[in-house]
Coordinates of all heavy atoms in Angstrom, one line a residue:
M1 N 127.4 119.5 149.1 CA 126.4 118.9 148.2 C 126.7 117.4 148.1 O 127.8 117.0 147.9 CB 126.4 119.6 146.9 CG 125.4 118.9 145.9 SD 125.3 119.6 144.3 CE 125.2 121.3 144.5
K2 N 125.7 116.6 148.1 CA 125.8 115.2 147.9 C 125.0 114.8 146.7 O 123.9 115.4 146.4 CB 125.2 114.4 149.2 CG 125.9 114.7 150.5 CD 127.3 114.2 150.4 CE 128.0 114.5 151.7 NZ 129.3 113.9 151.8
S3 N 125.4 113.8 146.0 CA 124.7 113.4 144.8 C 124.8 111.8 144.6 O 125.7 111.2 145.2 CB 125.2 114.1 143.5 OG 126.5 113.6 143.3
A4 N 123.8 111.3 143.9 CA 123.7 109.9 143.6 C 123.0 109.7 142.3 O 122.1 110.5 142.0 CB 123.1 109.1 144.7
Q5 N 123.3 108.7 141.6 CA 122.6 108.3 140.4 C 121.6 107.2 140.7 O 122.1 106.2 141.3 CB 123.5 108.0 139.2 CG 122.7 107.9 137.9 CD 123.5 107.8 136.7 OE1 124.7 107.5 136.7 NE2 122.9 108.2 135.5
V6 N 120.4 107.3 140.2 CA 119.4 106.2 140.4 C 118.7 105.9 139.1 O 118.8 106.7 138.1 CB 118.3 106.6 141.4 CG1 118.9 106.9 142.8 CG2 117.5 107.8 140.9
C7 N 118.1 104.7 139.0 CA 117.2 104.4 137.9 C 115.8 104.3 138.4 O 115.5 103.8 139.4 CB 117.6 103.0 137.3 SG 119.0 103.2 136.2
I8 N 114.9 104.9 137.6 CA 113.5 104.9 138.0 C 113.0 103.5 137.9 O 113.1 102.8 136.9 CB 112.7 105.8 137.0 CG1 113.2 107.2 137.0 CG2 111.2 105.8 137.4 CD1 113.2 107.9 138.3
A9 N 112.4 103.0 139.0 CA 111.9 101.7 139.2 C 110.4 101.5 138.9 O 110.0 100.4 138.5 CB 112.2 101.1 140.5
N10 N 109.6 102.5 139.1 CA 108.2 102.4 139.0 C 107.8 102.1 137.6 O 108.3 102.7 136.6 CB 107.5 103.6 139.4 CG 106.0 103.5 139.5 OD1 105.5 102.5 140.2 ND2 105.2 104.4 139.0
V11 N 107.0 101.0 137.4 CA 106.6 100.6 136.0 C 106.0 101.7 135.2 O 106.2 101.7 134.0 CB 105.7 99.4 136.1 CG1 104.3 99.7 136.7 CG2 105.5 98.7 134.8
Y12 N 105.3 102.6 135.7 CA 104.7 103.7 135.0 C 105.5 105.0 135.1 O 105.0 106.1 134.7 CB 103.3 104.0 135.4 CG 102.4 102.8 135.2 CD1 102.0 102.0 136.3 CD2 102.1 102.3 134.0 CE1 101.2 100.9 136.2 CE2 101.3 101.2 133.8 CZ 100.8 100.5 134.9 OH 100.1 99.4 134.7
G13 N 106.7 105.0 135.6 CA 107.5 106.1 135.7 C 107.1 107.0 136.9 O 106.3 106.6 137.8
I14 N 107.6 108.2 136.9 CA 107.2 109.2 138.0 C 106.1 110.0 137.5 O 106.3 111.0 136.8 CB 108.4 110.0 138.4 CG1 109.6 109.1 138.9 CG2 108.0 111.0 139.5 CD1 109.3 108.3 140.1
H15 N 104.8 109.6 137.7 CA 103.6 110.3 137.3 C 103.1 111.0 138.6 O 103.8 111.2 139.6 CB 102.6 109.3 136.7 CG 102.3 108.2 137.5 ND1 101.3 108.2 138.5 CD2 102.7 106.9 137.5 CE1 101.2 107.0 139.1 NE2 102.1 106.2 138.5
C16 N 101.9 111.4 138.6 CA 101.3 112.2 139.7 C 101.4 111.6 141.0 O 101.8 112.3 142.0 CB 99.8 112.6 139.4 SG 99.7 113.8 138.1
R17 N 101.0 110.4 141.2 CA 101.0 109.8 142.5 C 102.4 109.5 143.1 O 102.6 109.9 144.2 CB 100.1 108.5 142.5 CG 98.6 108.8 142.4 CD 97.8 107.6 142.5 NE 97.8 107.0 141.1 CZ 97.1 105.9 140.8 NH1 96.5 105.2 141.7 NH2 97.1 105.5 139.6
P18 N 103.3 109.0 142.3 CA 104.7 108.8 142.9 C 105.3 110.2 143.2 O 106.0 110.4 144.2 CB 105.5 108.1 141.8 CG 104.5 107.4 141.0 CD 103.2 108.2 141.1
S19 N 105.1 111.2 142.3 CA 105.6 112.5 142.5 C 105.1 113.1 143.8 O 105.8 113.8 144.5 CB 105.5 113.4 141.3 OG 104.1 113.7 141.1
A20 N 103.8 112.9 144.1 CA 103.2 113.4 145.3 C 103.9 112.8 146.6 O 104.1 113.5 147.5 CB 101.7 113.1 145.3
V21 N 104.2 111.5 146.5 CA 104.9 110.9 147.6 C 106.3 111.5 147.8 O 106.7 111.8 148.9 CB 105.0 109.4 147.4 CG1 105.8 108.7 148.5 CG2 103.6 108.8 147.4
I22 N 107.0 111.7 146.7 CA 108.3 112.2 146.7 C 108.3 113.7 147.3 O 109.1 114.0 148.2 CB 109.0 112.2 145.3 CG1 109.2 110.7 144.9 CG2 110.2 113.0 145.3 CD1 109.6 110.5 143.4
I23 N 107.4 114.5 146.8 CA 107.3 115.9 147.2 C 106.9 116.0 148.7 O 107.5 116.8 149.4 CB 106.3 116.6 146.3 CG1 106.9 116.8 144.9 CG2 105.9 118.0 146.9 CD1 105.9 117.1 143.9
K24 N 106.0 115.1 149.1 CA 105.7 115.1 150.6 C 106.9 114.8 151.4 O 107.1 115.5 152.5 CB 104.6 114.1 150.8 CG 104.0 114.1 152.2 CD 102.9 113.2 152.4 CE 102.4 113.2 153.9 NZ 101.3 112.3 154.1
A25 N 107.7 113.9 151.0 CA 108.9 113.5 151.8 C 110.0 114.6 151.7 O 110.7 114.8 152.7 CB 109.5 112.2 151.2
C26 N 110.0 115.4 150.7 CA 111.0 116.4 150.5 C 110.6 117.8 151.0 O 111.5 118.7 151.2 CB 111.4 116.5 149.0 SG 112.2 115.0 148.3
F27 N 109.3 118.1 151.0 CA 108.8 119.4 151.2 C 109.4 120.2 152.3 O 109.7 121.4 152.2 CB 107.3 119.4 151.2 CG 106.7 120.8 151.0 CD1 106.6 121.3 149.8 CD2 106.2 121.5 152.1 CE1 106.1 122.6 149.6 CE2 105.7 122.8 151.9 CZ 105.6 123.3 150.7
D28 N 109.5 119.7 153.5 CA 110.0 120.4 154.7 C 111.5 120.5 154.8 O 112.0 121.1 155.7 CB 109.4 119.8 155.9 CG 107.9 120.1 156.0 OD1 107.4 121.1 155.5 OD2 107.2 119.2 156.6
Y29 N 112.2 119.8 153.9 CA 113.7 119.9 154.0 C 114.2 121.3 153.7 O 113.8 121.9 152.7 CB 114.3 118.9 153.0 CG 115.8 118.8 153.0 CD1 116.4 118.3 154.1 CD2 116.6 119.3 152.0 CE1 117.8 118.2 154.2 CE2 117.9 119.3 152.0 CZ 118.6 118.7 153.1 OH 119.9 118.7 153.2
P30 N 115.0 121.9 154.5 CA 115.4 123.3 154.4 C 116.4 123.5 153.2 O 116.6 124.7 152.8 CB 116.0 123.6 155.7 CG 116.5 122.3 156.3 CD 115.5 121.3 155.8
G31 N 117.0 122.5 152.7 CA 118.0 122.6 151.6 C 117.3 122.4 150.3 O 116.1 122.3 150.1
A32 N 118.2 122.3 149.3 CA 117.7 122.1 147.9 C 117.9 120.6 147.5 O 118.8 119.9 147.9 CB 118.6 122.9 146.9
I33 N 116.9 120.1 146.8 CA 116.9 118.7 146.3 C 116.6 118.8 144.8 O 115.5 119.3 144.4 CB 115.9 117.8 147.0 CG1 116.1 117.8 148.5 CG2 115.9 116.4 146.4 CD1 115.0 117.2 149.3
T34 N 117.5 118.4 143.9 CA 117.3 118.6 142.5 C 117.5 117.2 141.8 O 118.3 116.4 142.1 CB 118.4 119.5 141.9 OG1 118.4 120.7 142.7 CG2 118.2 119.8 140.5
A35 N 116.6 117.0 140.8 CA 116.7 115.8 139.9 C 117.2 116.3 138.6 O 116.7 117.3 138.0 CB 115.3 115.1 139.8
I36 N 118.2 115.6 138.0 CA 118.8 116.0 136.8 C 118.8 114.8 135.8 O 119.3 113.7 136.2 CB 120.2 116.5 137.0 CG1 120.3 117.6 138.0 CG2 120.9 116.9 135.7 CD1 121.6 117.9 138.6
T37 N 118.3 114.9 134.6 CA 118.3 113.9 133.6 C 119.6 113.9 132.8 O 120.2 114.9 132.8 CB 117.1 113.9 132.7 OG1 117.2 115.1 132.0 CG2 115.8 113.9 133.5
E38 N 119.8 112.8 132.1 CA 121.0 112.8 131.2 C 120.9 113.8 130.1 O 122.0 114.3 129.6 CB 121.2 111.4 130.6 CG 121.7 110.4 131.6 CD 121.9 109.0 131.0 OE1 121.3 108.7 130.0 OE2 122.9 108.3 131.4
S39 N 119.7 114.2 129.7 CA 119.6 115.2 128.6 C 119.7 116.6 129.1 O 119.6 117.6 128.4 CB 118.2 115.0 127.9 OG 117.2 115.3 128.9
G40 N 119.9 116.8 130.4 CA 120.2 118.1 131.0 C 118.9 118.7 131.6 O 119.0 119.8 132.1
G41 N 117.8 118.0 131.7 CA 116.6 118.5 132.3 C 116.9 118.6 133.8 O 117.5 117.7 134.4
R42 N 116.4 119.6 134.5 CA 116.6 119.8 135.9 C 115.2 120.1 136.5 O 114.5 120.9 136.0 CB 117.5 120.9 136.3 CG 118.9 120.8 135.7 CD 119.8 122.0 136.0 NE 120.1 122.1 137.4 CZ 121.2 121.6 138.0 NH1 122.0 120.8 137.4 NH2 121.3 121.8 139.3
A43 N 115.0 119.6 137.8 CA 113.8 119.9 138.4 C 114.0 119.9 139.9 O 114.7 119.1 140.5 CB 112.7 118.9 138.1
D44 N 113.3 120.9 140.6 CA 113.3 120.9 142.0 C 112.4 119.8 142.5 O 111.2 119.7 142.1 CB 112.7 122.3 142.5 CG 112.5 122.4 144.0 OD1 112.7 121.5 144.7 OD2 112.2 123.6 144.4
A45 N 112.9 118.9 143.3 CA 112.1 117.7 143.8 C 110.9 118.1 144.7 O 110.2 117.2 145.1 CB 113.0 116.7 144.4
K46 N 110.8 119.4 145.0 CA 109.7 119.8 145.9 C 108.6 120.5 145.0 O 107.6 121.0 145.5 CB 110.2 120.9 146.8 CG 111.3 120.4 147.8 CD 111.8 121.5 148.7 CE 113.0 121.2 149.4 NZ 113.5 122.3 150.3
N47 N 108.8 120.4 143.7 CA 107.8 121.1 142.8 C 107.2 120.0 141.8 O 107.9 119.5 141.0 CB 108.6 122.2 142.0 CG 107.7 122.9 141.0 OD1 106.9 122.4 140.3 ND2 107.8 124.2 141.1
M48 N 105.9 119.8 142.0 CA 105.3 118.7 141.2 C 105.4 119.0 139.7 O 105.7 118.1 139.0 CB 103.8 118.5 141.6 CG 103.2 117.3 140.9 SD 101.5 116.9 141.4 CE 101.8 116.0 142.9
L49 N 105.0 120.1 139.3 CA 105.0 120.4 137.8 C 106.4 120.3 137.2 O 106.6 119.7 136.1 CB 104.4 121.8 137.5 CG 102.9 121.9 137.8 CD1 102.5 123.3 137.5 CD2 102.2 120.9 137.0
A50 N 107.4 120.7 138.0 CA 108.8 120.6 137.5 C 109.2 119.1 137.4 O 109.8 118.7 136.4 CB 109.7 121.4 138.4
L51 N 108.9 118.4 138.4 CA 109.2 117.0 138.5 C 108.5 116.2 137.4 O 109.1 115.4 136.6 CB 108.9 116.4 139.8 CG 109.5 115.1 140.2 CD1 111.0 115.1 140.1 CD2 109.1 114.7 141.6
L52 N 107.2 116.4 137.2 CA 106.5 115.8 136.1 C 107.0 116.2 134.7 O 107.0 115.4 133.8 CB 105.0 116.1 136.2 CG 104.2 115.5 137.4 CD1 102.8 116.1 137.5 CD2 104.2 114.0 137.3
G53 N 107.5 117.4 134.6 CA 108.0 117.9 133.4 C 109.2 117.2 132.9 O 109.5 117.2 131.7
L54 N 109.9 116.5 133.8 CA 111.0 115.7 133.3 C 110.6 114.5 132.6 O 111.4 113.9 131.8 CB 111.9 115.3 134.5 CG 112.6 116.4 135.3 CD1 113.4 115.8 136.5 CD2 113.6 117.1 134.4
G55 N 109.4 114.0 132.7 CA 108.9 112.8 132.0 C 109.7 111.6 132.3 O 110.0 110.8 131.5
L56 N 109.9 111.4 133.6 CA 110.8 110.2 134.0 C 110.0 108.9 133.8 O 109.0 108.7 134.3 CB 111.1 110.4 135.5 CG 111.9 111.7 135.8 CD1 112.1 111.9 137.3 CD2 113.2 111.7 135.1
Q57 N 110.7 108.0 133.1 CA 110.1 106.7 132.7 C 111.0 105.6 133.4 O 112.1 105.8 133.8 CB 110.2 106.5 131.2 CG 109.4 107.5 130.4 CD 107.9 107.5 130.8 OE1 107.3 106.4 130.8 NE2 107.3 108.6 131.0
R58 N 110.4 104.4 133.5 CA 111.0 103.3 134.1 C 112.4 103.0 133.4 O 112.5 103.0 132.2 CB 110.1 102.1 134.0 CG 110.8 100.9 134.7 CD 109.9 99.7 134.6 NE 110.4 98.7 135.6 CZ 109.7 97.7 136.0 NH1 108.5 97.4 135.5 NH2 110.2 96.8 136.8
G59 N 113.4 102.8 134.3 CA 114.7 102.5 133.7 C 115.6 103.7 133.4 O 116.7 103.5 133.1
Q60 N 115.0 104.9 133.4 CA 115.7 106.1 133.1 C 116.6 106.5 134.2 O 116.2 106.5 135.4 CB 114.7 107.2 132.8 CG 115.4 108.5 132.4 CD 114.4 109.6 132.1 OE1 113.2 109.3 132.1 NE2 114.8 110.7 131.7
P61 N 117.9 106.7 133.9 CA 118.8 107.2 134.9 C 118.6 108.7 135.3 O 118.3 109.5 134.4 CB 120.2 107.0 134.3 CG 120.0 107.0 132.9 CD 118.6 106.6 132.6
V62 N 118.7 109.0 136.6 CA 118.5 110.3 137.1 C 119.6 110.6 138.1 O 119.8 109.7 139.0 CB 117.1 110.5 137.7 CG1 116.9 111.9 138.3 CG2 116.0 110.2 136.7
T63 N 120.2 111.8 138.1 CA 121.1 112.1 139.2 C 120.3 113.0 140.2 O 119.6 113.9 139.8 CB 122.3 112.9 138.6 OG1 123.0 112.1 137.6 CG2 123.2 113.4 139.7
L64 N 120.4 112.7 141.4 CA 119.8 113.4 142.5 C 120.9 114.2 143.3 O 121.9 113.6 143.6 CB 119.0 112.5 143.4 CG 117.9 111.6 142.8 CD1 117.4 110.6 143.8 CD2 116.8 112.5 142.3
E65 N 120.6 115.4 143.5 CA 121.6 116.3 144.3 C 120.8 116.8 145.5 O 119.7 117.3 145.4 CB 122.1 117.4 143.4 CG 123.0 117.0 142.3 CD 123.5 118.2 141.5 OE1 123.0 119.3 141.7 OE2 124.4 118.0 140.7
V66 N 121.5 116.7 146.6 CA 120.9 117.3 147.9 C 122.0 118.2 148.4 O 123.1 117.8 148.6 CB 120.6 116.2 148.9 CG1 120.1 116.8 150.2 CG2 119.5 115.2 148.3
D67 N 121.6 119.5 148.7 CA 122.5 120.5 149.3 C 121.8 121.1 150.5 O 120.8 121.8 150.3 CB 122.7 121.5 148.2 CG 123.9 122.5 148.6 OD1 124.6 122.2 149.6 OD2 124.0 123.5 148.0
G68 N 122.3 120.8 151.6 CA 121.8 121.4 152.9 C 122.2 120.5 154.1 O 123.0 119.6 154.0
P69 N 121.5 120.8 155.2 CA 121.9 120.1 156.4 C 121.5 118.6 156.3 O 120.5 118.3 155.7 CB 121.0 120.8 157.5 CG 119.9 121.5 156.8 CD 120.5 121.8 155.4
E70 N 122.3 117.8 156.9 CA 122.0 116.3 156.9 C 121.7 115.8 155.5 O 120.8 115.0 155.3 CB 120.9 116.0 157.9 CG 121.2 116.4 159.3 CD 120.0 116.2 160.3 OE1 119.0 115.5 159.9 OE2 120.1 116.6 161.4
A71 N 122.6 116.2 154.6 CA 122.4 115.9 153.2 C 122.5 114.4 152.9 O 121.8 113.8 152.1 CB 123.4 116.6 152.3
D72 N 123.4 113.7 153.7 CA 123.5 112.3 153.5 C 122.2 111.5 153.8 O 121.8 110.7 153.0 CB 124.6 111.7 154.4 CG 126.0 112.1 153.9 OD1 126.2 112.2 152.7 OD2 126.9 112.3 154.8
E73 N 121.6 111.9 154.9 CA 120.4 111.2 155.3 C 119.2 111.5 154.3 O 118.5 110.6 153.9 CB 120.0 111.6 156.7 CG 120.9 111.1 157.8 CD 122.1 112.0 158.0 OE1 122.2 113.1 157.3 OE2 122.9 111.7 158.8
M74 N 119.1 112.7 153.9 CA 118.1 113.1 153.0 C 118.3 112.5 151.6 O 117.4 112.0 151.0 CB 118.0 114.6 152.8 CG 116.8 115.1 152.1 SD 115.3 114.6 153.0 CE 114.0 114.8 151.8
L75 N 119.5 112.4 151.1 CA 119.8 111.7 149.9 C 119.4 110.3 149.9 O 118.8 109.8 149.0 CB 121.3 111.9 149.5 CG 121.7 111.3 148.2 CD1 121.0 112.0 147.0 CD2 123.2 111.4 148.0
T76 N 119.7 109.6 151.0 CA 119.3 108.2 151.1 C 117.8 108.0 151.0 O 117.3 107.1 150.3 CB 119.9 107.6 152.5 OG1 121.3 107.7 152.5 CG2 119.4 106.2 152.7
K77 N 117.1 108.9 151.7 CA 115.6 108.9 151.7 C 115.1 109.1 150.2 O 114.2 108.4 149.8 CB 115.1 109.9 152.6 CG 113.6 110.0 152.8 CD 113.3 111.0 153.9 CE 111.9 111.1 154.2 NZ 111.6 112.1 155.2
V78 N 115.6 110.1 149.5 CA 115.1 110.4 148.2 C 115.5 109.4 147.2 O 114.7 109.0 146.4 CB 115.7 111.8 147.8 CG1 115.3 112.1 146.4 CG2 115.2 112.9 148.7
V79 N 116.7 108.8 147.3 CA 117.1 107.7 146.4 C 116.2 106.5 146.6 O 115.7 106.0 145.6 CB 118.6 107.3 146.7 CG1 118.9 105.9 146.1 CG2 119.6 108.3 146.2
A80 N 115.8 106.2 147.8 CA 114.9 105.1 148.0 C 113.5 105.3 147.4 O 112.9 104.4 146.8 CB 114.7 104.9 149.5
L81 N 113.1 106.6 147.4 CA 111.8 106.9 146.8 C 111.8 106.8 145.3 O 110.9 106.2 144.7 CB 111.3 108.3 147.2 CG 110.9 108.4 148.6 CD1 110.7 109.9 149.0 CD2 109.6 107.7 148.9
F82 N 112.9 107.3 144.6 CA 113.0 107.2 143.2 C 113.2 105.7 142.7 O 112.8 105.4 141.6 CB 114.1 108.1 142.7 CG 113.7 109.5 142.5 CD1 113.7 110.4 143.5 CD2 113.4 110.0 141.2 CE1 113.3 111.7 143.3 CE2 113.0 111.3 141.0 CZ 113.0 112.2 142.1
E83 N 113.7 104.9 143.6 CA 113.9 103.5 143.3 C 112.8 102.6 143.7 O 112.8 101.4 143.6 CB 115.2 103.0 143.9 CG 116.4 103.6 143.3 CD 117.7 103.1 143.9 OE1 117.8 102.7 145.0 OE2 118.8 103.2 143.2
T84 N 111.7 103.2 144.2 CA 110.5 102.4 144.7 C 109.6 102.1 143.5 O 109.3 102.9 142.6 CB 109.7 103.2 145.7 OG1 110.5 103.4 146.8 CG2 108.4 102.5 146.1
D85 N 109.2 100.8 143.4 CA 108.2 100.4 142.5 C 106.8 100.5 143.2 O 106.3 99.6 143.7 CB 108.4 99.0 142.0 CG 107.5 98.5 140.9 OD1 106.8 99.4 140.3 OD2 107.5 97.4 140.5
F86 N 106.3 101.7 143.1 CA 105.0 102.0 143.8 C 103.9 101.1 143.3 O 103.8 100.8 142.1 CB 104.6 103.5 143.6 CG 105.6 104.5 144.1 CD1 106.6 105.0 143.4 CD2 105.4 104.9 145.5 CE1 107.5 105.9 143.9 CE2 106.3 105.8 146.0 CZ 107.3 106.3 145.2
D87 N 103.1 100.6 144.3 CA 102.0 99.7 144.0 C 100.7 100.3 144.3 O 100.1 100.1 145.3 CB 102.2 98.4 144.8 CG 101.1 97.4 144.4 OD1 100.5 97.5 143.3 OD2 100.9 96.4 145.2
F88 N 100.3 101.3 143.5 CA 99.0 102.0 143.7 C 97.9 101.1 143.2 O 97.9 100.6 142.1 CB 99.0 103.3 143.0 CG 100.1 104.3 143.5 CD1 101.2 104.6 142.8 CD2 100.0 104.8 144.8 CE1 102.2 105.5 143.2 CE2 100.9 105.7 145.3 CZ 102.0 106.0 144.5
K89 N 96.8 101.1 143.9 CA 95.6 100.3 143.5 C 94.9 101.1 142.5 O 94.8 102.3 142.5 CB 94.7 100.1 144.7 CG 95.4 99.4 145.9 CD 95.7 98.0 145.5 CE 96.4 97.3 146.7 NZ 97.3 96.3 146.3
R90 N 94.4 100.4 141.5 CA 93.6 101.0 140.4 C 92.2 101.0 140.7 O 91.6 100.2 141.3 CB 93.9 100.3 139.1 CG 95.3 100.6 138.7 CD 95.6 99.9 137.4 NE 96.9 100.3 136.9 CZ 97.1 100.8 135.7 NH1 96.2 100.9 134.9 NH2 98.3 101.2 135.4

């Protein structure tokens, strides 16, 4: 298992659109990808409702855990997504 701590960069946090991008990137990964908040909330990064349920806001620290094949590469990919300041058009 590999893990890393990140801070949410998106100005509006991880809402529906950023979570959809994250889930799409994680969905086919055969291992487990978990987001864990400091307060102990845990969510499968492949599950939109679970991810949204964490209520992740800008600047909030989150620990990401990846357990499975090629965990280093997948962790790098997921960390980059959580640290992205998504620029969705309104």
Side-chain angles (χ1 to χ4, degrees):
M1 178 183 311
K2 301 292 181 176
S3 67
Q5 187 167 24
V6 300
C7 277
I8 304 301
N10 190 49
V11 67
Y12 300 110
I14 302 298
H15 55 83
C16 287
R17 286 182 279 180
S19 67
V21 173
I22 292 166
I23 290 163
K24 184 176 180 181
C26 297
F27 194 76
D28 290 330
Y29 182 70
I33 304 170
T34 307
I36 306 165
T37 64
E38 287 186 328
S39 64
R42 298 176 69 88
D44 178 353
K46 300 176 190 179
N47 182 313
M48 183 176 282
L49 291 178
L51 196 55
L52 291 174
L54 292 177
L56 300 174
Q57 300 297 316
R58 183 178 196 165
Q60 182 176 357
V62 177
T63 300
L64 300 172
E65 292 181 348
V66 176
D67 190 14
E70 301 177 7
D72 287 325
E73 293 85 1
M74 191 63 195
L75 181 61
T76 300
K77 184 177 183 178
V78 176
V79 164
L81 288 170
F82 276 81
E83 291 180 337
T84 297
D85 185 9
F86 295 94
D87 183 21
F88 296 110
K89 303 294 180 208
R90 291 180 171 230

